[in-house]
Amino acid sequence: MNTIKLYQQDVYLKECEAQVISVDEDLAVLDQTVFFPTGGGQTCDLGRINDLNVTEVFEKDGIVYHRLEQPGPLRPGQRVLCRIDWERRFDNMQRHCGEHILSGICYREFGGINRGFHMGQEYMTVDISLEEDPSIKEITWEMAKQAELYTNEVIWSNAPVTVRRFKTREEAEKLPLRKALAIDEEISIVCVGDIENAADCVACCGTHPSTAGQVGLVKIYKVEHYKGMFRIYFEAGKRALLDYDAKHDLIASLGNRFSAGPEDLADKIRAREEKSKAVKNELHLLRQSVIAARTADIRKDLEALRKADDPKRSEAVLVYEFGDMKTDDLLNIGRPVMKDVEKLLLIISSQDNTLLLFSNGTVDCGKLVKDNASVCNGKGGGNAASARAIFPKRASLDAFIDLIRTIC
Ligand SMILES: [Zn+2]
């Protein structure tokens, strides 16, 4: 015997008494129910049967199955009280009906056919195909905004939402349907507004509010190309209001940070970006001049060493340390002078315990690192003219310098 679907008779029924027909593990079948089963793009109702949570509801061959949180103490013949989570149901009704109206408007305005619908946690989407009217090639953002306005005008008109049930396809097809029927019997047709001038008229088994006004609001977020169609992202009802709330709070908090209102916030952000770009440029120029000055200092030291005509000059290992620059900048200090280094030039980056090695080739920097860094818990590599070694702590780096002084 098919379950009596009370949600089809009165969509506002929040609870009912019922008799348990059968219980199989955690699945209960009742003689009648207020629980809407998953279908038609709408998720099922949740709620309670007596004190047991209902975690899933689905329909098969006219029978509605209620999955309980655990195999419960229900027995066939027992009278039970069913109560749905109304907030969840009404949210579903608002969103689902909002989608009906928007899809109906896309059909009316662009000949767009709804080929897919998804109710996500963050937003809903409809995939609109424009194959009907060859003169319309795309849904632009302006067109989407126009459709959004028309959709909300239908909502504000508080048009009635009616459900008509038909035994056969022939009877149902007399209505101005926006989409061909996919089933042959027991057909529910949902219409928003008068049949003669319906905002939407389509087969649907979901739950809908009795008037469009209860949808409250529809807001489109974006439109994008999707598999030859156009995917519209949107939200409806309380969720659209909550989204407005969140975005308003975000604009208000940005406004506080930039001392601006919504009207001049974009200008203030642009001005801040330009200032930040100018500071970045200035910093770059300053960094370049510091790099050039330090390179010049090292060049001067190398020159002095050469002029001193010290017979031991070719054995000198020169060490410099800069704590205010990153390794990449230190590389730019060492590279221009490396061909003048008779033995070895070492630059310590104390910010990240890294040692840079430079030479004119008399010492193979890469090999020095490869053969010895691991002795001091370091790692790294490079070529004959330059290399780098990275150490876990400063003491290891100092030990490595001591070690290569003894080797070179
Ligand atoms: Zn529907």
Side-chain angles (χ1 to χ4, degrees):
M1 192 180 72
N2 285 1
T3 311
I4 298 168
K5 297 160 183 167
L6 297 175
Y7 53 86
Q8 287 184 346
Q9 297 166 19
D10 180 0
V11 80
Y12 292 95
L13 215 52
K14 300 174 184 70
E15 59 180 51
C16 75
E17 282 195 1
Q19 186 169 32
V20 179
I21 301 294
S22 67
V23 181
D24 181 7
E25 297 283 326
D26 56 352
L27 284 180
V29 174
L30 312 173
D31 63 339
Q32 59 177 6
T33 187
V34 280
F35 283 89
F36 172 78
T38 296
Q42 194 172 329
T43 54
C44 67
D45 285 328
L46 300 179
R48 299 185 131 216
I49 296 178
N50 285 353
D51 290 332
L52 298 163
N53 284 325
V54 175
T55 58
E56 185 193 8
V57 184
F58 60 93
E59 181 182 356
K60 199 177 167 201
D61 301 327
I63 295 171
V64 176
Y65 295 85
H66 308 75
R67 193 181 296 284
L68 306 169
E69 59 185 328
Q70 63 200 48
L74 300 185
R75 296 285 172 267
Q78 184 183 346
R79 299 291 298 174
V80 290
L81 179 66
C82 304
R83 200 177 295 127
I84 61 168
D85 174 347
W86 176 250
E87 199 171 322
R88 175 185 165 92
R89 159 70 81 74
F90 191 65
D91 174 52
N92 264 338
M93 284 162 53
Q94 282 190 311
R95 299 179 93 198
H96 185 75
C97 192
E99 182 264 330
H100 269 289
I101 304 170
L102 178 61
S103 297
I105 294 293
C106 285
Y107 182 64
R108 189 187 79 190
E109 294 299 311
F110 322 131
I113 309 244
N114 177 339
R115 295 282 182 211
F117 166 51
H118 179 66
M119 280 169 106
Q121 272 306 309
E122 304 293 319
Y123 47 75
M124 293 186 279
T125 59
V126 278
D127 297 330
I128 303 290
S129 161
L130 293 177
E131 70 217 63
E132 287 281 289
D133 184 346
S135 71
I136 299 179
K137 304 274 185 243
E138 63 173 331
I139 299 178
T140 62
W141 181 237
E142 286 65 33
M143 289 161 74
K145 284 208 279 196
Q146 191 64 56
E148 177 188 272
L149 178 63
Y150 291 151
T151 301
N152 283 295
E153 282 175 353
V154 172
I155 292 169
W156 304 331
S157 76
N158 204 23
V161 180
T162 49
V163 182
R164 294 171 174 80
R165 296 184 208 286
F166 299 93
K167 291 269 177 227
T168 65
R169 191 186 183 102
E170 288 69 32
E171 287 176 86
E173 281 178 338
K174 288 176 187 156
L175 295 180
L177 303 176
R178 78 164 142 88
K179 208 171 174 183
L181 291 173
I183 47 173
D184 292 320
E185 49 192 21
E186 300 297 331
I187 303 160
S188 296
I189 303 292
V190 178
C191 284
V192 181
D194 301 330
I195 287 289
E196 298 72 41
N197 188 26
D200 192 29
C201 189
V202 73
C204 182
C205 65
T207 56
H208 314 82
S210 57
T211 54
Q214 292 169 69
V215 173
L217 175 70
V218 162
K219 182 75 195 88
I220 294 180
Y221 298 154
K222 66 172 175 176
V223 184
E224 64 184 22
H225 290 264
Y226 177 75
K227 293 185 177 174
M229 297 180 287
F230 290 86
R231 174 164 282 187
I232 300 178
Y233 294 74
F234 68 107
E235 197 46 274
K238 184 179 176 184
R239 289 180 189 240
L241 174 69
L242 292 178
D243 181 72
Y244 183 94
D245 267 354
K247 284 172 182 161
H248 174 82
D249 289 350
L250 175 66
I251 295 287
S253 112
L254 285 173
N256 281 338
R257 276 169 57 184
F258 286 85
S259 305
E263 62 293 336
D264 59 347
L265 181 57
D267 289 340
K268 289 269 176 84
I269 289 177
R270 201 171 301 116
R272 182 79 64 93
E273 283 171 349
E274 276 164 18
K275 201 172 170 188
S276 149
K277 209 169 150 188
V279 168
K280 241 183 203 170
N281 283 340
E282 200 178 338
L283 182 65
H284 175 73
L285 292 174
L286 283 172
R287 185 186 286 124
Q288 294 309 109
S289 68
V290 171
I291 287 171
R294 287 179 174 171
T295 302
D297 285 347
I298 295 175
R299 201 187 293 283
K300 216 181 282 171
D301 291 348
L302 288 168
E303 196 73 13
L305 195 63
R306 198 160 28 247
K307 279 189 180 154
D309 205 19
D310 182 341
K312 290 199 164 183
R313 73 177 194 229
S314 60
E315 291 168 24
V317 174
L318 293 174
V319 184
Y320 296 85
E321 175 166 356
F322 303 108
D324 54 0
M325 279 185 164
K326 295 208 163 76
T327 306
D328 284 349
D329 291 327
L330 301 183
L331 274 172
N332 289 330
I333 291 175
R335 275 189 188 130
V337 295
M338 67 187 179
K339 64 179 187 328
D340 301 323
V341 177
E342 290 190 35
K343 185 79 172 183
L344 200 56
L345 165 66
L346 303 179
I347 302 182
I348 300 167
S349 167
S350 41
Q351 276 186 14
D352 42 12
N353 292 327
T354 298
L355 183 69
L356 301 176
L357 300 84
F358 301 92
S359 166
N360 65 359
T362 47
V363 174
D364 186 333
C365 299
K367 189 168 184 309
L368 209 53
V369 170
K370 195 164 168 263
D371 293 348
N372 302 291
S374 61
V375 177
C376 305
N377 301 319
K379 57 182 183 178
N383 54 41
S386 74
R388 76 170 71 184
I390 304 157
F391 297 90
K393 51 186 183 183
R394 180 55 192 261
S396 316
L397 187 149
D398 290 336
F400 178 73
I401 293 177
D402 290 343
L403 178 65
I404 56 178
R405 274 188 202 277
T406 63
I407 295 170
C408 295

